[in-house]
Amino acid sequence: MNNKIPIFPLSNVIFFPETDLPLNIFEKRYIQMVDVSLKNERLIGIVQPKTKKDLYSIGCLGKITSFTETEDKKYIINLKGISKFKIIEEVKNEYLFREFKVEYLSTEIENTSQEKLKGEFINSELDINQLKKFLKKRGFSLNWKQIDNMDFKNIVNALCMIMPITINEKQTLLETENIIKRFEILKNIIDFDIVDKFKNRTIQ
């Protein structure tokens, strides 16, 4: 797997290994990025921007698993998460999009039974009710029946991706390696929001 990859900066967007990220590609530079990627390993890195030029150092590499070219020469693609990575340095190129040298991060390993964790999550009335209140407050809803077909890790990562929270909070969740810790942070975010401390909260 090449350690020089094209980077697609997306504000308030994160994803994780083993998850899917559908994207609508319409800017000229990112259309070019997809064109180049399709001719090579079909790899694209997703990273949140800090500013117009600066990026967060941790992102997730995705592989294009499907794409549709529209009549107006734009793309609708799906990325399957492969590995989180750390940006090392930018690489000069001749393209409109940016490329970076990256270091791939090790896969998360959990010793606790996924089924046990999922059972604790599903059976936690307090957590579920808080989550429903949080999402309802922001006009979001979940198909709870779909959760039955997901393991604990994928439930938590999916929630991190769709949650209407701040850029910094999303980045904190992405950079947290342990799934249990990630879930605890996610619950803390929900708890703070429910008690109307949105503007003053901090994450440890």
Side-chain angles (χ1 to χ4, degrees):
M1 195 160 58
N2 199 333
N3 69 342
K4 184 183 77 170
I5 60 172
I7 291 293
F8 192 178
L10 283 175
S11 182
N12 213 17
V13 174
I14 58 170
F15 83 130
F16 297 85
E18 301 178 30
T19 63
D20 290 286
L21 181 65
L23 293 171
N24 185 12
I25 310 296
F26 54 88
E27 287 189 51
K28 184 177 180 180
R29 54 183 165 172
Y30 299 125
I31 292 173
Q32 184 191 57
M33 178 185 66
V34 172
D35 285 336
V36 173
S37 180
L38 289 173
K39 293 176 182 178
N40 294 285
E41 295 183 274
R42 298 195 172 201
L43 301 178
I44 293 174
I46 301 296
V47 181
Q48 292 199 112
K50 284 184 177 180
T51 65
K52 190 173 182 179
K53 291 186 177 181
D54 295 330
L55 306 174
Y56 282 98
S57 61
I58 305 296
C60 185
L61 179 71
K63 184 169 185 174
I64 300 175
T65 55
S66 65
F67 70 95
T68 301
E69 188 174 2
T70 63
E71 292 182 358
D72 54 355
K73 305 299 181 181
K74 298 174 182 177
Y75 283 111
I76 299 172
I77 68 172
N78 184 78
L79 292 180
K80 172 67 77 173
I82 296 177
S83 172
K84 289 198 286 187
F85 61 81
K86 180 178 181 180
I87 287 177
I88 304 302
E89 62 183 359
E90 186 163 5
V91 178
K92 292 184 178 180
N93 64 27
E94 58 185 11
Y95 301 122
L96 300 175
F97 59 88
R98 300 168 73 183
E99 290 182 299
F100 289 80
K101 182 180 178 181
V102 301
E103 174 188 354
Y104 295 110
L105 304 178
S106 59
T107 304
E108 298 172 359
I109 299 175
E110 302 300 340
N111 295 322
T112 311
S113 166
Q114 289 283 315
E115 286 304 313
K116 179 182 178 182
L117 291 170
K118 180 179 176 181
E120 292 176 356
F121 173 81
I122 296 297
N123 294 323
S124 175
E125 183 177 352
L126 177 62
D127 292 338
I128 295 296
N129 285 338
Q130 285 180 320
L131 181 58
K132 287 181 177 179
K133 287 179 183 178
F134 181 94
L135 294 172
K136 183 178 180 181
K137 189 174 180 181
R138 283 168 167 68
F140 282 73
S141 62
L142 287 179
N143 184 342
W144 296 99
K145 292 182 180 179
Q146 289 184 345
I147 289 179
D148 291 338
N149 298 319
M150 300 170 65
D151 63 24
F152 178 78
K153 179 180 69 175
N154 288 334
I155 290 171
V156 173
N157 288 343
L159 289 173
C160 292
M161 290 169 64
I162 69 170
M163 278 297 207
I165 55 181
T166 69
I167 292 173
N168 288 337
E169 286 167 341
K170 280 190 177 287
Q171 191 66 28
T172 297
L173 291 166
L174 176 65
E175 294 182 11
T176 301
E177 296 181 3
N178 184 288
I179 192 67
I180 307 300
K181 178 64 174 176
R182 187 178 300 146
F183 183 47
E184 291 300 319
I185 293 174
L186 188 62
K187 288 197 297 183
N188 286 338
I189 292 172
I190 296 169
D191 289 341
F192 275 118
D193 188 86
I194 295 301
V195 295
D196 293 323
K197 293 182 178 179
F198 183 86
K199 293 184 179 179
N200 299 316
R201 65 172 176 261
T202 57
I203 298 176
Q204 301 298 327

